[in-house]
Amino acid sequence: MTSLIASCPGAASPGPLDHLAAQRVTGALYAPNACFYLRDGAVYCVEGTASPGTGARLGAAGRLPAERWQRARETAGPTHRGGQFLVGEGWLTQGELEICHLGALLDAAFFALPLPPGTTSFTPGTAHWLGVVRAVSAAALQRATAHRRALLDRLRPWAAVDAAPVVPVAPADGGPSPATGRQRRLLESADGRHTPCELARALGQSAFLTLLDTRRLAAAGLVRMPAAPAALPRRRPGACHPVPPTTQSPPPSWQLPVPDLLETPDPDVALLVRLRTALEENL
């Protein structure tokens, strides 16, 4: 899953989000794996492909059936009052909606920031159907993202588990697991086939926290580290793959092409081939 986590340069220059925030624009900023919705330069919604959104979180928590979320979307209308509709119907409290929505916003932004230059587009006036639940300044959003990335970087030796299926490992001493409640739920859901982000989507919880918990569990020896890819064999000069002899013909031999076979009029190329052939024969 490492490829999903945007790199953070040491001295980041202002990006598209900073410029739009400074101009106090309203509209939608489209990035490779997320869309940022702004009003007067503040970010009030981020929808990404790497983490579950507000509706998925509420549904997984049993707080809001999918049909009610869809009803709010259809009822939002041109005034984009989907969030107010959910609260007005008594299906959610304002606090529940704000907390869940802010968590989804921060999660999606984490996997999208910093935005690569030249990969974004902006459409003025475009709004999200949910409306403004809670806006965050671009600067605060990027500080929160940097803080989360620093937490993950402390566990960088275990980063290989980010994109690998989560495989639980029993405690070495056979005693009770030292995992937290949230980590135990993660281990109970891990089936050895799904990655941390896939489990986060299935559980309707933060993809960032799932990554963080998976690295912590790997550091504690409660999640198996994926096997390192086997190194390719190094070729010795002049070496070749052996071909078993057959009764029909002698073992084929391999040799570098000689200048005559190259059919090149370039004397420099012919000289290089002669030199290479001589070196191979004497190795």
Side-chain angles (χ1 to χ4, degrees), residues 90-273:
W91 296 342
L92 292 172
T93 66
Q94 182 67 27
E96 285 177 318
L97 180 59
E98 287 188 13
I99 291 173
C100 187
H101 182 64
L102 182 60
L105 184 154
L106 292 173
D107 221 27
F110 171 76
F111 291 97
L113 294 174
L115 299 176
T119 61
T120 62
S121 61
F122 180 72
T123 304
T126 300
H128 193 276
W129 65 267
L130 195 62
V132 180
V133 177
R134 174 66 64 183
V136 181
S137 71
L141 185 60
Q142 293 180 95
R143 285 196 301 269
T145 298
H147 174 69
R148 289 183 163 204
R149 186 166 291 107
L151 291 177
L152 272 183
D153 285 344
R154 295 175 187 173
L155 297 165
R156 185 176 294 276
W158 295 273
V161 299
D162 291 2
V166 180
V167 181
V169 176
D173 57 5
S177 171
T180 64
R182 188 179 65 209
Q183 291 171 348
R184 284 194 295 271
R185 289 193 296 272
L186 173 61
L187 292 173
E188 290 168 359
S189 302
D191 56 5
R193 295 178 303 174
H194 294 90
T195 65
C197 283
E198 291 171 343
L199 289 173
R201 190 171 294 277
L203 295 170
Q205 65 184 28
S206 167
F208 161 74
L209 290 177
T210 305
L211 279 179
L212 187 64
D213 282 341
T214 305
R215 288 196 188 187
R216 286 172 172 169
L217 290 168
L222 298 177
V223 163
R224 182 184 304 168
M225 288 290 292
L232 294 175
R234 298 183 63 183
R235 178 183 177 276
R236 291 181 295 102
C240 63
H241 293 290
V243 180
T246 63
T247 56
Q248 298 178 353
S249 60
S253 60
W254 176 86
Q255 64 179 16
L256 291 168
V258 295
D260 294 338
L261 296 179
L262 290 176
E263 297 182 356
T264 174
D266 192 334
D268 293 332
V269 173
L271 176 60
L272 288 173
V273 172

Side-chain angles (χ1 to χ4, degrees), residues 46-48 51-59 69 100-101 104-105 107-108 201 204:
V46 184
E47 287 192 334
S51 58
T54 305
R57 289 170 177 240
L58 290 169
W69 180 258
C100 187
H101 182 64
L105 184 154
D107 221 27
R201 190 171 294 277

